[in-house]
Amino acid sequence: MELSPLQKARYSYEPKLPEILKNDISKIVATEGEVTESVSDQDKIKALFPKTYGMREVSFTLSKDSNKAEKKNVAVILSGGQAPGGHNVITGLYDALKKDNKESTLIGFKNGPSGLLEDKYIEFTDSYIDSFRNTGGFDIIGSGRTKLETEEQFEVAIKVAEKHNLNAIVIIGGDDSNTNAAVLAEYFLEKGSKCQVIGCPKTIDGDLKNDVIEISFGFDTATKTYSELIGNIERDANSAKKYWHFIRVMGRSASHIALECALETQPNICFISEEVEKKNMSLEDIADQVVASVVKRSENGENFGVAIIPEGLIEFVPEVKKLISELNDIMAIDEKEFNELDAWESKYEFMQKKLTLDSFKVFSFLPLEIEKQLLMDRDPHGNVQVSRIETEKLIISIVEKKLADLKKEGKYKGKFSALSHFFGYEGRCAFPSNFDADYCYSLGYNAYMLLREGYTGYISAITNLSKPSKEWKAGGMPIVKMFNLEQRHGKLKPVIKKALVELDGAPFKYFAERRDEWAEKTLYTYPGAIQYYGPESVCDITTRTLALEQGGK
Ligand code: FBP
């Protein structure tokens, strides 16, 4: 296979580990901290997870004695959307396992959790692992979104684990996949299986985080990739001075990606879905905010601008949120009947009968394309696929109408020519930044330490991440600690609580204090491309979000 010069160079990059993990593995031991509780619904969650509820947080320290490792058979699964650094989680896990005992084996189930159920796997070798070091993508074994949730699936998982004599399965995924990891860990314990389950926090969306999981991997590289592109567009806009660019960025539920990109590039507009929901903003209110900036800037002779829109925005506009929730419930029950209807008119009538009057009003106000996008297939977790809804075009169309009205009234004399963009898949498989390369390698290495020490139902946790890697700390947290009860498919289910943008948090406050000035003036910043080689102050820095959250600038 032909390799690019950067790929060749990245093969020899040596990811940095926290100091504690650089020691002889046989001398690293776990120290237990406080007993944990789930974030809410404690009694109900305790009853559902009798074996894994209330376990203690774990950190690693060095002991004088060394503890020889038995041979272990471990499996790994990549689950959900791609995120830069996934390959390094696997290389870190592999290196730790082989360093500890050469006889140990690592297999990878192919194409997500379905690989476990179908027993489709590969066994990793040195040369195969070496060809994926420090590269982006999940193609090392592939990924998938199959949800592990039924008793039959768990029974199959036990049989496959027994067949391979597995000591542990490491599941690399987001909130839903780590929820599955915790459920599987509980099930294995209940059935007396020796197979442990360890999770690793992945998602470019950045919404799997809390006091112990400071950031999910992939967020750093994905936001740097989008910010580079947004900065380039800003410079183009400021050079040509003729277009307003509306850029939708990924982030299914939370707006962490949009906020981080705004902090990096200082656009004229950036919506934060969590604020839209809190302020109960309608689609019209959102468009009015854009119109105000367009009008003001045109008065300054600047008929151009840049707006960032989080892809999840549409689900946070209260009136649309209610509509989507009704559509999800309808689809959960009547999807088959709905899919048998061919003509759009019949589908439309079907929804008219099923939706409440208010929601149907909102539905019928939307442009036809958006109506169709809202009715597309749900993902395996029953969610509407927001990455396929062109919210940026919806906003442009409402803004155009409003500006035309203002023009008629003589209140607006500028020109408005809008272009739309969607940045999502472009960022998910980029070569991991040095931060993600180091962080992911450490997460995988640390996952091995957790399973070596006999833990199950834990998520690998590397902390103190806004500091240089030698100050990073290694440990683990019981996954059930992150649980709450949420409505899914019309039923209350125990799931990891999603971390949304906190409106009283430092990153949002920083943005909110400056955005009025950004809306009017041209104060763009241009982050440029990710740098892999050069000064640490450029190459090793992480996100503004993490820096601000941890008291930096
Ligand atoms: P994960 O939460 O599984 O990591 O995926 C996040 C994400 O990239 C979202 O930002 C996006 O909405 C979604 O995946 C797209 O999913 P798909 O890859 O199935 O199109």
Side-chain angles (χ1 to χ4, degrees):
M1 197 171 73
E2 190 86 11
L3 299 179
S4 71
L6 185 65
Q7 186 162 352
K8 276 187 219 154
R10 292 309 278 170
Y11 281 159
S12 48
Y13 176 78
E14 280 182 30
K16 301 186 268 301
L17 282 171
E19 282 304 297
I20 182 71
L21 298 185
K22 289 182 190 161
N23 292 293
D24 175 355
I25 289 185
S26 68
K27 291 188 175 165
I28 303 174
V29 288
T31 313
E32 295 198 344
E34 296 295 305
V35 166
T36 57
E37 294 257 29
S38 61
V39 285
S40 65
D41 309 296
Q42 289 86 3
D43 292 341
K44 286 188 184 131
I45 291 171
K46 190 173 183 179
L48 290 167
F49 293 86
K51 304 268 182 209
T52 51
Y53 191 90
M55 298 189 300
R56 290 169 188 274
E57 279 181 16
V58 164
S59 60
F60 290 111
T61 47
L62 204 57
S63 98
K64 284 195 203 95
D65 310 319
S66 73
N67 168 11
K68 200 178 158 312
E70 309 267 301
K71 169 182 186 284
K72 287 196 187 297
N73 301 313
V74 177
V76 65
I77 298 173
L78 286 166
S79 181
Q82 283 69 250
H87 289 165
N88 269 26
V89 181
I90 297 181
T91 59
L93 174 64
Y94 181 86
D95 287 353
L97 169 127
K98 289 287 183 184
K99 217 186 255 183
D100 204 22
N101 186 328
K102 271 205 207 80
E103 299 302 310
S104 292
T105 61
L106 180 65
I107 62 171
F109 286 113
K110 287 158 99 175
N111 305 323
S114 64
L116 167 65
L117 303 178
E118 293 159 12
D119 194 19
K120 293 200 172 129
Y121 68 95
I122 56 163
E123 183 170 340
F124 294 110
T125 59
D126 289 351
S127 60
Y128 190 68
I129 282 282
D130 286 348
S131 66
F132 288 94
R133 289 187 189 275
N134 306 306
T135 57
F138 276 8
D139 42 323
I140 187 167
I141 43 174
S143 185
R145 290 196 186 274
T146 302
K147 191 164 166 58
L148 295 176
E149 58 181 352
T150 66
E151 181 112 17
E152 294 82 64
Q153 289 175 322
F154 295 152
E155 272 308 307
V156 175
I158 286 209
K159 289 212 177 79
V160 175
E162 276 168 6
K163 179 195 152 199
H164 293 284
N165 193 18
L166 289 181
N167 297 89
I169 301 178
V170 175
I171 298 182
I172 303 171
D175 53 342
D176 283 327
S177 312
N178 277 286
T179 295
N180 298 344
V183 176
L184 198 60
E186 177 75 25
Y187 190 83
F188 281 170
L189 280 178
E190 190 192 310
K191 297 288 165 177
S193 163
K194 69 164 183 181
C195 185
Q196 301 156 241
V197 185
I198 301 291
C200 283
K202 170 234 72 167
T203 174
I204 60 161
D205 291 3
D207 55 9
L208 172 53
K209 65 175 177 179
N210 47 52
D211 51 339
V212 179
I213 306 302
E214 296 175 359
I215 189 172
S216 53
F217 80 76
F219 178 72
D220 183 87
T221 312
T223 53
K224 283 188 165 92
T225 307
Y226 305 142
S227 298
E228 179 208 347
L229 299 174
I230 295 167
N232 295 350
I233 286 179
E234 286 177 337
R235 205 144 211 174
D236 194 287
N238 196 17
S239 307
K241 304 196 190 295
K242 58 179 180 181
Y243 296 124
W244 261 87
H245 295 267
F246 288 77
I247 306 169
R248 176 167 51 108
V249 291
M250 264 191 179
R252 191 184 3 217
S253 303
S255 303
H256 299 289
I257 293 182
L259 178 56
E260 172 63 20
C261 292
L263 296 172
E264 293 282 352
T265 62
Q266 304 193 175
N268 304 103
I269 304 274
C270 174
F271 290 106
I272 301 299
S273 308
E274 291 81 345
E275 185 186 30
V276 166
E277 183 173 45
K278 172 102 190 290
K279 291 188 171 165
N280 209 0
M281 286 169 79
S282 63
L283 287 170
E284 299 249 1
D285 296 333
I286 289 169
D288 284 339
Q289 199 173 316
V290 178
V291 166
S293 172
V294 172
V295 171
K296 194 92 209 140
R297 286 175 63 74
S298 80
E299 285 164 7
N300 299 339
E302 309 217 296
N303 288 303
F304 64 91
V306 171
I308 300 179
I309 296 152
E311 72 171 357
L313 179 74
I314 187 125
E315 274 197 291
F316 279 73
V317 177
E319 57 196 14
V320 187
K321 183 176 182 166
K322 185 166 172 284
L323 164 67
I324 289 180
S325 141
E326 284 184 28
L327 288 174
N328 284 347
D329 289 349
I330 294 170
M331 289 303 214
I333 301 163
D334 299 317
E335 192 171 17
K336 197 164 167 278
E337 194 186 335
F338 176 80
N339 284 338
E340 278 162 8
L341 303 170
D342 279 339
W344 170 249
E345 289 69 30
S346 332
K347 292 185 176 187
Y348 191 83
E349 267 172 33
F350 181 89
M351 285 304 163
Q352 188 165 14
K353 274 190 223 139
K354 300 270 175 185
L355 288 168
T356 58
L357 203 59
D358 282 349
S359 289
F360 184 71
K361 247 192 224 160
V362 178
F363 184 69
S364 54
F365 161 80
L366 299 170
L368 178 66
E369 276 315 304
I370 305 284
E371 288 176 345
K372 287 187 176 168
Q373 288 160 7
L374 281 172
L375 295 181
M376 284 185 303
D377 292 345
R378 268 50 195 159
D379 74 6
H381 304 282
N383 306 315
V384 66
Q385 300 190 51
V386 281
S387 63
R388 295 168 69 184
I389 300 177
E390 295 172 316
T391 317
E392 70 286 13
K393 292 193 180 156
L394 172 63
I395 295 176
I396 292 173
S397 74
I398 310 175
V399 167
E400 274 170 344
K401 273 192 211 128
K402 285 184 178 277
L403 288 173
D405 290 346
L406 287 179
K407 210 162 226 175
K408 270 190 217 143
E409 293 165 28
K411 291 180 182 160
Y412 168 64
K413 296 194 175 58
K415 277 189 196 148
F416 180 72
S417 179
L419 293 176
S420 60
H421 311 261
F422 170 45
F423 296 152
Y425 300 98
E426 294 82 346
R428 300 202 311 182
C429 286
F431 279 99
S433 60
N434 287 353
F435 173 85
D436 268 330
D438 299 345
Y439 179 43
C440 291
Y441 188 83
S442 303
L443 282 172
Y445 201 100
N446 184 62
Y448 176 74
M449 298 311 306
L450 286 169
L451 68 91
R452 183 188 202 272
E453 292 289 283
Y455 290 100
T456 188
Y458 276 68
I459 189 163
S460 177
I462 303 290
T463 53
N464 212 24
L465 295 169
S466 64
K467 298 282 176 340
S469 57
K470 56 175 182 287
E471 291 174 46
W472 291 359
K473 297 191 169 74
M477 192 184 68
I479 300 176
V480 169
K481 182 182 177 221
M482 297 186 271
F483 273 27
N484 70 160
L485 293 177
E486 280 176 28
Q487 196 79 14
R488 297 279 168 98
H489 289 285
K491 282 190 199 141
L492 265 188
K493 291 225 158 161
V495 291
I496 292 177
K497 190 172 189 311
K498 259 194 205 306
L500 302 181
V501 169
E502 285 175 13
L503 302 181
D504 56 358
F508 180 78
K509 278 192 183 158
Y510 182 98
F511 161 72
E513 278 159 18
R514 289 158 181 82
R515 64 176 156 188
D516 289 347
E517 211 187 350
W518 297 353
E520 196 179 326
K521 299 182 185 156
T522 300
L523 294 171
Y524 306 145
T525 43
Y526 312 117
I530 296 175
Q531 301 296 308
Y532 299 93
Y533 302 97
E536 277 174 24
S537 59
V538 178
C539 300
D540 289 359
I541 43 165
T542 181
T543 58
R544 295 293 307 281
T545 304
L546 193 57
L548 288 163
E549 279 171 350
Q550 300 196 346
K553 284 190 191 160

